[in-house]
Amino acid sequence: MTPLHLCLLISTALFCIGLFGALARSNTILVLLGIELMLNAANINFIAFWRYGPNPAAANGMIFVLFSIAVAAAEAAVGLALIIAVYRHQKNIRLQEATVLKG
Amino acid sequence: MTAALLLIAVLMLGSAAAAMLRRNLIHSALLLVASWTGVAAFYLWAGAEFVAFAQILVYAGAVSMVVLFAVLLTRQSREADLPIEPATVTRTASAFAVAASLAAVIGSAVATARFPAASAEAPAASVKQIGLELMAEHGAALLIVGIVLTVALIGATVIASNDKKRDPEDAP
């Protein structure tokens, strides 16, 4: 098994842990954090293919990851602001109770 | 080399799994910080130092603070952070089934895939080279990411801010 396979298997495991968290938990913050874990798993794939790919001269993989981190940070900020807005209306952050978008 | 990778993987995956299983939200957030630090250690292992420091700055520094603030702001009472009622068994079981089957599919696909041989030495990408590529080839993308970040952060502030013109009976 080459190191590339190992890296891909690790990122698969991280992605599935994030997916499990996003599907199983009823707390909105934990769902958002599961999505962040899945994004991190995708970034690990970028770095693994950059490191072990056939054309490692270009720094394209690293630049992809930098942009991905920036977009993930924006997504986390907006997601947590939405959670706070929902909490102000519903006094609760359980997903099951956030059934009404119009406050 | 591989032993270090396995150690990093155990740290990263173990803390992520523990974070997803804990009841206490604050413990989950702190364990996720450990997991993100493990991802940064993986980047260091792979030779992408600049990305590793960006990961530490953004995730372990900024996102974790925002998450902790959100946890503390949405706490209902002093007891409410302890047992968030457990998700139902069917929900947990179906989520586990989905995640496990996806892991089996992707894992078998990865295990049978054949990739072209890697170069022996790690690719060298200095910070200077990254900066030149960012500013020259990817300059437009960099500007767009800046605009996206600005719009998203202003939007987050507007969404989370208290609007004063609400109905009086809504007021807390």
Side-chain angles (χ1 to χ4, degrees), chain B residues 96-121:
Chain B
F96 184 78
V98 168
S101 48
L102 185 70
V105 169
I106 302 180
S108 62
V110 165
T112 56
R114 306 185 65 79
F115 298 108
S119 58
E121 77 279 10

Side-chain angles (χ1 to χ4, degrees), chain A residues 5 10 16 21 23-25 27 33 36 40 43 51-52 56-57 59 62 65 67 72 80-81 87-88 91 94 96, chain B residues 9 12 20 22 25 32 36 43 45-46 51 55 59 66 74 76 85 87 91 110 113 118 123 130 156 160-161 166:
Chain A
H5 284 93
I10 290 169
C16 291
L23 290 178
R25 302 303 299 259
N27 190 312
L33 291 178
E36 290 287 329
N40 268 302
N43 290 348
R51 169 70 178 78
Y52 293 108
M62 293 173 73
V65 174
F67 286 139
L80 290 167
Y87 173 76
R88 186 172 299 133
K91 294 292 164 217
R94 290 186 67 211
Q96 287 92 334
Chain B
M12 185 166 81
M20 287 299 144
R22 290 302 292 249
L25 205 49
L32 274 168
W36 288 328
Y43 294 156
W45 175 85
V51 179
Q55 167 91 8
Y59 275 102
V66 177
T74 57
Q76 281 137 345
E85 66 289 344
R91 187 179 164 133
V110 165
I130 296 170
S161 69
R166 59 170 57 176

Side-chain angles (χ1 to χ4, degrees), chain B residues 56-128:
Chain B
I56 288 179
L57 278 179
V58 173
Y59 275 102
V63 174
S64 65
M65 282 303 120
V66 177
V67 167
L68 283 176
F69 266 107
V71 169
L72 295 178
L73 282 176
T74 57
R75 217 155 59 139
Q76 281 137 345
S77 66
R78 203 166 286 278
E79 301 85 41
D81 61 341
L82 296 171
I84 315 159
E85 66 289 344
T88 57
V89 178
T90 48
R91 187 179 164 133
T92 309
S94 50
F96 184 78
V98 168
S101 48
L102 185 70
V105 169
I106 302 180
S108 62
V110 165
T112 56
R114 306 185 65 79
F115 298 108
S119 58
E121 77 279 10
S126 63
V127 176
K128 181 181 174 188

Side-chain angles (χ1 to χ4, degrees), chain A residues 31-91:
Chain A
V31 172
L32 190 73
L33 291 178
I35 293 171
E36 290 287 329
L37 275 184
M38 293 197 264
L39 278 166
N40 268 302
N43 290 348
I44 287 179
N45 269 9
F46 276 130
I47 290 292
F49 278 114
W50 166 75
R51 169 70 178 78
Y52 293 108
N55 179 25
N60 280 343
M62 293 173 73
I63 289 172
F64 257 107
V65 174
L66 287 178
F67 286 139
S68 167
I69 287 177
V71 174
E75 176 245 331
V78 174
L80 290 167
L82 281 174
I83 289 171
I84 289 176
V86 167
Y87 173 76
R88 186 172 299 133
H89 282 299
Q90 316 247 346
K91 294 292 164 217

